[in-house]
Amino acid sequence: MLRVGLTGGLASGKSFVGREFQSLGCLLIQADELGHRVLDPEGEAYGAVIAEFGRGILNADGTINRRTLAGLVFNNPERLEKLNSLVHPPVRARTRKLIEEFAAAHPDGIAVSEAAILVETGSSRNYDRLIVAVCSEEQQIERAMARDHLTREEVLDRLRRQMPLSEKVKYADFVIDTSGTKENTIEQTRKVFEALRSVNA
């Protein structure tokens, strides 16, 4: 089985690319989604995160308000590191389990793990191939403003905290440019899929 990392930057189109790989029969693992699940009331990190950050991060129904939690760590690297230390291990454990189950059922399959900071954390080295989804910075800004209801300044602030896409592509085995039409992105994704299948044959 081939393990593939899929990354990019804020609103660079990686989730769209990931869903296309999924439609082609790949296992798609989204780190963000798993991060949400481990923070659910029955999730592995729920109790530890409340113990660390206090009950002020809870909604009325007892779920964690992720926006409130994000606000506590956004400008505080030490608090962010602490949050990551609570969330990342159970996310990695869930990822391993999903990949093991998929590999047992599909030994010749392709598992695609989509995550924003694969390169920054060094975990990109754990994959057989790395794909980076890219577009122009202006497109990232416009997409993030529309999708996340952020101001231009808020988006720029987030982009400044990320490794530039021009740096990430240096680590890529494949680059998918999402700056054109959706059809064009799908076409590129399918070509990469065929290349991955030939590697995996």
Side-chain angles (χ1 to χ4, degrees):
M1 192 200 69
L2 201 66
R3 292 172 51 120
V4 177
L6 169 61
T7 193
L10 176 67
S12 72
K14 63 185 178 302
S15 294
F16 180 82
V17 170
R19 287 192 297 273
E20 183 57 27
F21 275 117
Q22 187 176 35
S23 78
L24 293 167
C26 300
L27 171 68
L28 175 65
I29 300 169
Q30 293 172 302
D32 267 2
E33 186 194 331
L34 294 184
H36 292 169
R37 284 197 208 159
V38 303
L39 288 173
D40 284 343
E42 65 281 2
E44 303 91 317
Y46 179 81
V49 169
I50 293 170
E52 179 65 33
F53 292 93
R55 301 191 68 81
I57 63 171
L58 295 178
N59 294 313
D61 63 359
T63 57
I64 290 175
N65 185 313
R66 289 192 290 272
R67 192 173 278 270
T68 302
L69 180 58
L72 293 178
V73 303
F74 191 61
N75 283 310
N76 191 326
E78 282 178 18
R79 299 293 272 159
L80 177 60
E81 195 173 320
K82 181 63 185 176
L83 177 62
N84 287 342
S85 76
L86 299 173
V87 171
H88 287 176
V91 167
R92 283 195 292 268
R94 284 187 180 226
T95 299
R96 274 196 303 275
K97 187 168 184 287
L98 288 168
I99 287 176
E100 284 165 9
E101 288 170 355
F102 183 73
H106 307 276
D108 58 348
I110 298 169
V112 177
S113 295
E114 178 204 323
I117 53 172
L118 287 180
V119 175
E120 293 89 327
T121 57
S123 53
S124 57
R125 292 191 293 269
N126 300 332
Y127 296 92
D128 302 308
R129 295 290 185 276
L130 182 67
I131 301 166
V132 177
V134 303
C135 63
S136 72
E137 186 175 274
E138 191 53 42
Q139 281 176 307
Q140 285 182 276
I141 294 166
E142 287 172 9
R143 290 173 181 176
M145 285 172 68
R147 183 190 70 191
D148 302 330
H149 312 294
L150 300 169
T151 66
R152 188 178 183 87
E153 264 315 305
E154 285 172 324
V155 176
L156 286 169
D157 193 31
R158 293 185 183 198
L159 286 174
R160 280 192 286 267
R161 294 163 192 268
Q162 295 188 345
M163 181 187 286
L165 288 172
S166 57
E167 192 62 29
K168 284 192 181 183
V169 297
K170 296 175 184 175
Y171 297 85
D173 296 291
F174 301 97
V175 175
I176 294 178
D177 184 346
T178 69
S179 60
T181 62
K182 286 184 175 180
E183 290 72 23
N184 182 257
T185 299
I186 288 168
E187 188 182 333
Q188 291 178 69
T189 304
R190 290 186 174 173
K191 282 181 180 170
V192 172
F193 173 69
E194 291 303 332
L196 293 171
R197 280 181 63 187
S198 66
V199 169
N200 206 28

